[in-house]
């Protein structure tokens, strides 16, 4: 499953209505919720007074106070007492109530001579139990217990037995978008992580794998398409204009990979021939109006299948592969076996609606979900603590795929920039957790950039240490050992180590320790001996619950540059000739490595390719060193990184000057007094811009200043508004001093009118360099440039250029801004996915006082609060803007209001919005106090979901 870029919709159903539907006999009772399955009242627990209306009037009674949600611990894992061989599901889809009949062939997994323990099945409070049978016989009420979260069969038979469970659910009222829900007139499922329990009572855990047969019955006119996992075995007509379809999945899978779709959909069909000659039918389903926009996704799917065969030797294992695009989806996409369900935003594309970034995301996410067929489906997780086993590995695979399809250096830079801007902040905050967490309250909260993106970086460690061939050997052994199993991260590490005869225990610590290590490097050159020594010191800061950290294995990829910037040959003591780059294994607190035959004192090029997810500190590194690397380093990542380090030094210097000056002194005067933007940096920037050998996409990345998040990460108690202002000042200075060169870049990368849009590396490079140059010039806010941007917006022949111009215009207080926004809306008011861009660009606007605009957008027809996509675009777009940090606290209050409101609609969306407050300790005391006040206000809300409760309480523990 891929994280959502920003997505969804649902129907509103209050918890009181849901409870009354699920348990009619309890509707008039005080509702007491417990987070612990099967928890009973315990002596000594606090009680609360509740006033209840009865037949004889109002009475006051004492009931136990709701229990706080309790964490689940990885250390408490136990194998299930029962396993399931086969699952037969029958869905009778109806407009009022849907009935689900589940027949399970269970077998014991406890000690042979032991008594049969009770069978506890997971459930949800909006699932109503209608019938329960064992071996065809109804179970009396005394034989089972039902709670809002479980069904327990008290005395199961010894040995294998069949259990039949009949439930009633209302998908049309399921605003959580977990389990089976109805949206846009169609039925859809989302079962990862724990959504299947919202369909029927079940052993809802990933280590229970079974073969599924699914029968779907529905109205043939309203729901002509009936889909589930595996192969279509049978279909036909029923009485009363209904029809049915039977699907059979031959591969064992956990219930989180179950999928069902029913609706009035149309399909685009194609085929792919595998390396062994098997023909696979490929289908993408959408609503009728969108089918013309799936061609690119289909091409991406076929490229993914070919790439996985070429790189990993993995063929698709069925004759049919389906993708369904739905508008309302909590995540980005889901890898259900043979029936991938996608947020429409990650399938639909055309030049008038989609940017280059959209195309790239579609290509990457289509690949990601397809690659899960092996890394996630054929081999899955033993428990949810092992989530990075499938997600970190599959992100690594989709990154490799995207790199091979486009520009590998630029892809690497993009991935690292995302990691630093998002994951490093997460590592430094209250939600810091290892890539394999030790505990959670709500698993949904751990689909994080740490598990995904940092998890991918840990997989990359294996690749860097073992090399491509060694990594492939490890992957082959992993599948050979574990195909069809639910396994752990330790199993993956063991396969890598055993296949290569390597000790990788130091890599294992990355799975268990939170936080970002700092690797400090010092160097010494001995001219007499012509030797160069690199010494390293690593330390990982304390994080919540982990005060002391052990050294981890850090592969430090290095090269040495001569005075002309060319690579020097490497000779390491005891290792011989190593070429231009080598990998040093830093596995202790202190390590030292000496290179011999070094004729001149070199400039070290360290952490090439960002070979480990660490913060690198290089003692003695000068600006001259960085400028040499920026101009000549053969490693593209380190060439870019040198520029980022120069920019960061400048930004921190200017911020310090501005922060230490009196508030009455204008920012520009503070920065000018501190030296402004030095000529050497301007010259380095100019050299990149004018270098005809550099790829345009790389140039654009090299021209981008470090993000606000990265800058804040380097400052104690930062003023985020001042950070934004200093960053803006630097862009203005670069624009003023390099205007002719920027304008020349725009002209050189223009395309003739009428040139058709193409998504390829060459054309993307032209667009991104031109648009980056315009963005920098836009910081000048001159009328001439604003007119040019408005003209560019109106003349754009594709969404990439149109949105680039609109984004710059949106940050300027000019008539052209409102004109462009109105014209964009008028042209796209019937395109919901395009309007998400319109919402997001306004939400992220940097103009002072933008909070009023964002609040007003909540009442606009383009915004629907029950649609996750809308919420992510508006609320998260605003939370990532400088106005979120307005000095009066209005931004924090708005997001606090939004969390409270959304938690009554969709817990997952609400918890993601609440995550905006988790970085509060990075900011100045005044902002810390205001953010903490909002966290406390949210925590005080009665009936807070487990999702939001976990985010808020863990954050408040850091106060």
């Amino acid at each position: 499953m891929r994280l959502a870029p920003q997505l969804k919709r649902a129907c509103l159903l209050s918890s009181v209505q849901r409870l009354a539907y699920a348990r009619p006999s309890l509707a008039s009772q005080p509702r007491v919720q417990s987070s612990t399955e099967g928890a009973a009242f315990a002596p000594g627990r606090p009680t609360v007074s509740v006033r209840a209306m009865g037949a004889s009037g109002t009475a006051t009674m004492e009931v136990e106070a709701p229990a706080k949600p309790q964490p689940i611990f990885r250390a408490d894992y136990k194998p299930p007492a029962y396993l399931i061989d086969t699952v037969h599901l029958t869905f009778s889809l109806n407009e009022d109530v849907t009935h689900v009949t589940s027949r399970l062939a269970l077998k014991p997994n406890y000690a042979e001579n032991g008594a049969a323990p009770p069978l506890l099945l997971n459930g949800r409070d909006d699932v109503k139990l209608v019938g329960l049978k064992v071996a065809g016989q109804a179970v009396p009420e005394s034989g089972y217990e039902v709670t809002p979260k479980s069904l327990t069969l008290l005395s199961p038979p010894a040995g294998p037995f069949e259990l039949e469970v009949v439930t009633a659910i209302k998908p049309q009222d399921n605003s959580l978008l977990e389990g089976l829900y109805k949206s846009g007139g169609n039925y859809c499922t989302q079962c990862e992580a724990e959504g299947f329990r919202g369909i029927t009572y079940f052993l809802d855990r990933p280590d229970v794998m079974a073969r599924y047969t699914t029968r779907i019955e529905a109205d043939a006119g309203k729901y002509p398409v009936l889909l589930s996992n595996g192969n279509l075995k049978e279909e036909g007509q029923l009485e009363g204009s209904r029809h049915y379809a039977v699907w059979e999945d031959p591969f064992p899978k956990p219930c989180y990979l179950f999928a069902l779709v029913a609706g009035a959909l149309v399909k685009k069909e194609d085929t792919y021939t595998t390396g062994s000659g098997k023909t696979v039918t490929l289908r993408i389903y959408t609503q009728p109006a969108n089918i013309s926009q799936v061609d690119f996704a289909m091409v991406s799917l076929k490229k993914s299948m070919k790439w996985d065969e070429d790189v990993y030797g993995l063929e698709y294992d069925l004759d049919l592969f389906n993708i369904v695009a739905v508008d309302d989806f909590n995540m980005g996409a889901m890898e259900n076996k043979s029936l991938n369900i996608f947020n429409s935003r990650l399938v639909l594309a055309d030049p008038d609606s989609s940017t280059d970034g959209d195309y790239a995301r579609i290509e990457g996410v289509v690949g990601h979900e397809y690659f899960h067929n092996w890394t996630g489906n054929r081999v899955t997780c033993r428990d949810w603590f092992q989530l990075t086993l499938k997600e970190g590995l599959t992100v690594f695979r989709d990154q490799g795929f995207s790199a091979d399809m486009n520009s590998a250096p630029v892809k690497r830079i993009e991935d690292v920039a995302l990691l630093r801007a998002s994951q490093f902040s997460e590592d430094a905050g209250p939600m810091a957790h290892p890539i394999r967490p030790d505990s959670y309250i709500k698993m949904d909260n751990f689909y994080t950039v740490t598990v995904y993106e940092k998890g991918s970086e840990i997989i990359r460690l294996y690749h860097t240490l073992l090399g491509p061939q060694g990594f492939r050997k490890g992957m082959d052994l992993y599948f050979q050992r574990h195909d069809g199993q639910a396994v752990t991260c330790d199993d993956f590490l063991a396969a890598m180590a055993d296949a290569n005869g390597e000790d990788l225990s130091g890599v294992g610590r990355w799975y268990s320790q939170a936080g970002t290590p700092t690797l400090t490097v010092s160097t010494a050159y001995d001219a007499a001996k012509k030797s160069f020594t690199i010494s390293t010191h690593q330390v990982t800061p304390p994080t919540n619950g982990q005060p002391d950290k052990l050294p981890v294995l850090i592969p430090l990829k290095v090269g040495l540059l001569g005075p002309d910037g060319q690579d020097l040959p490497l000779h390491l003591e005891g290792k011989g000739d190593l070429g231009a780059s080598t990998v040093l294994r830093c596995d202790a607190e202190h390590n030292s490595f000496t290179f011999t035959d070094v004729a001149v004192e070199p400039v070290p090029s360290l952490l090439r390719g960002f070979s480990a997810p660490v913060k690198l500190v290089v003692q003695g590194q000068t600006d001259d060193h960085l400028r040499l690397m920026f101009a000549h380093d053969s490693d593209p990542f380190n060439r870019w990184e040198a520029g980022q380090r120069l920019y960061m030094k400048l930004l921190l210097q200017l911020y310090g000057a501005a922060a230490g000056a009196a508030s009455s002194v204008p920012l520009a005067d503070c920065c000018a007094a501190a030296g402004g933007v030095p000529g050497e940096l301007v010259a380095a920037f100019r050299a990149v811009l004018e270098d005809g050998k550099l790829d345009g996409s790389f140039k654009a990345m090299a021209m981008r200043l470090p993000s606000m998040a990265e800058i804040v990460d380097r400052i104690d108690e930062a003023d985020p508004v001042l950070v934004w202002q200093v960053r803006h000042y630097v862009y203005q200075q670069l624009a003023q001093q390099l205007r002719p060169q920027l304008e020349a870049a725009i002209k050189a990368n223009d395309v003739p009118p009428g040139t058709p849009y193409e998504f390829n590396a060459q054309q993307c490079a032209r667009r991104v360099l031109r648009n980056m140059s315009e963005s920098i010039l836009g910081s000048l806010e001159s009328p001439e440039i604003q007119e040019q941007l408005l003209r560019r917006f109106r003349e754009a022949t594709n969404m990439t250029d149109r949105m680039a111009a609109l984004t710059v215009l949106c940050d300027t207080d000019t008539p052209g801004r409102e004109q462009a926004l109105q014209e964009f809306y008028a042209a796209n008011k019937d395109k919901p996915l395009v309007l998400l861009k319109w919402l997001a660009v306004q939400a992220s606007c940097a103009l002072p006082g933008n909070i009023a605009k964002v609040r007003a957008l909540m009442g606009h027809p383009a915004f629907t609060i029950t649609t996750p996509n809308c919420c992510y675009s508006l609320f998260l777009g605003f939370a990532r803007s400088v106005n979120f940090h307005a000095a009066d606290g209005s931004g924090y209050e708005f997001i606090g209001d939004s969390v409270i409101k959304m938690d009554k609609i969709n817990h997952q969306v609400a918890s993601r919005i609440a995550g905006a407050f988790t970085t509060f300790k990075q900011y100045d005391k005044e902002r810390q106090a205001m953010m903490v006040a909002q966290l406390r206000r949210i925590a005080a809300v009665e009936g807070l979901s487990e999702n939001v409760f976990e985010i808020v309480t863990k954050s408040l523990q850091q106060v």
Side-chain angles (χ1 to χ4, degrees), residues 412 415-433 435 448-451 453-455 457-458 510 514-519 540-543 554 607 610-617 637 640-641 645 648 707-714 918-919 922-923:
R412 186 65 188 135
D415 293 337
V416 175
L418 169 63
L419 187 83
R420 287 174 170 171
S422 300
Q423 195 282 320
F424 279 18
S425 296
E426 189 166 86
D427 253 350
M431 286 298 291
H433 56 277
I435 64 169
T448 61
V449 286
T450 295
V451 167
E453 311 304 329
K454 185 176 180 180
E457 294 299 318
I458 304 313
W510 284 98
T516 305
T518 295
L519 185 69
T540 303
T543 54
I554 298 174
L607 204 69
F610 197 69
S611 56
V614 301
K615 295 180 180 179
L616 179 67
V617 176
F637 176 83
W640 170 80
E641 174 72 346
R645 286 176 172 260
M648 182 65 80
S707 67
M708 277 187 59
E710 292 175 85
I711 303 167
V712 165
D713 189 48
R714 298 285 300 274
T918 61
T919 57
Q922 294 183 299
Y923 303 115

Side-chain angles (χ1 to χ4, degrees), residues 345-506:
R345 202 169 179 178
L346 293 170
V347 172
L348 307 180
D350 64 40
D352 289 333
S353 304
S354 309
T355 64
D356 290 342
D358 294 329
Y359 277 92
R361 279 188 290 274
I362 290 169
E363 182 178 70
V365 175
V366 167
H368 180 95
E369 304 308 333
Y370 174 75
F371 301 145
H372 263 315
N373 184 62
W374 282 92
T375 50
N377 296 4
R378 289 286 288 261
V379 184
T380 194
C381 303
R382 184 195 72 178
D383 55 70
W384 287 121
F385 297 103
Q386 317 294 330
L387 179 63
T388 199
L389 173 74
K390 73 182 185 77
E391 294 300 349
L393 176 56
T394 307
V395 170
F396 173 77
R397 278 157 44 75
D398 83 50
Q399 289 174 346
F401 167 65
S402 294
D404 286 350
M405 295 301 107
N406 301 286
S407 168
V410 171
K411 176 60 178 168
R412 186 65 188 135
I413 292 167
E414 290 173 347
D415 293 337
V416 175
L418 169 63
L419 187 83
R420 287 174 170 171
S422 300
Q423 195 282 320
F424 279 18
S425 296
E426 189 166 86
D427 253 350
M431 286 298 291
H433 56 277
I435 64 169
R436 181 181 58 193
D438 291 321
S439 68
Y440 62 80
I441 290 175
K442 191 65 175 172
M443 186 57 214
D444 300 331
N445 288 335
F446 285 87
Y447 286 78
T448 61
V449 286
T450 295
V451 167
Y452 278 67
E453 311 304 329
K454 185 176 180 180
S456 170
E457 294 299 318
I458 304 313
I459 298 297
R460 191 176 294 274
L461 295 188
Y462 293 105
H463 195 274
T464 300
L465 289 164
L466 303 174
Q469 292 182 339
F471 186 80
R472 171 65 188 271
K473 285 169 60 180
M475 289 289 285
D476 290 346
L477 183 59
Y478 176 63
F479 293 124
Q480 179 185 328
R481 285 179 173 178
H482 302 299
D483 188 14
Q485 298 177 12
V487 300
T488 68
C489 297
D490 294 331
D491 294 318
F492 182 83
L493 188 152
M496 285 287 162
D498 293 348
N500 291 278
E502 291 273 357
D503 178 8
L504 298 175
S505 56

Side-chain angles (χ1 to χ4, degrees), residues 899-927:
V899 171
I900 293 169
K901 189 167 188 175
M902 282 308 306
D903 199 38
K904 301 181 187 305
I905 301 171
N906 188 309
H907 307 329
Q908 287 192 42
V909 174
S911 67
R912 291 188 188 117
I913 301 170
F917 292 116
T918 61
T919 57
F920 71 91
K921 293 196 77 173
Q922 294 183 299
Y923 303 115
D924 56 75
K925 295 294 186 185
E926 293 77 13
R927 287 181 172 85

Side-chain angles (χ1 to χ4, degrees), residues 518-537:
T518 295
L519 185 69
T520 301
V521 178
S522 60
T523 62
Y525 180 65
D526 188 324
K529 295 182 179 179
K530 297 191 182 304
S531 66
F532 186 75
T533 299
I534 294 176
S535 300
T536 66
H537 172 227

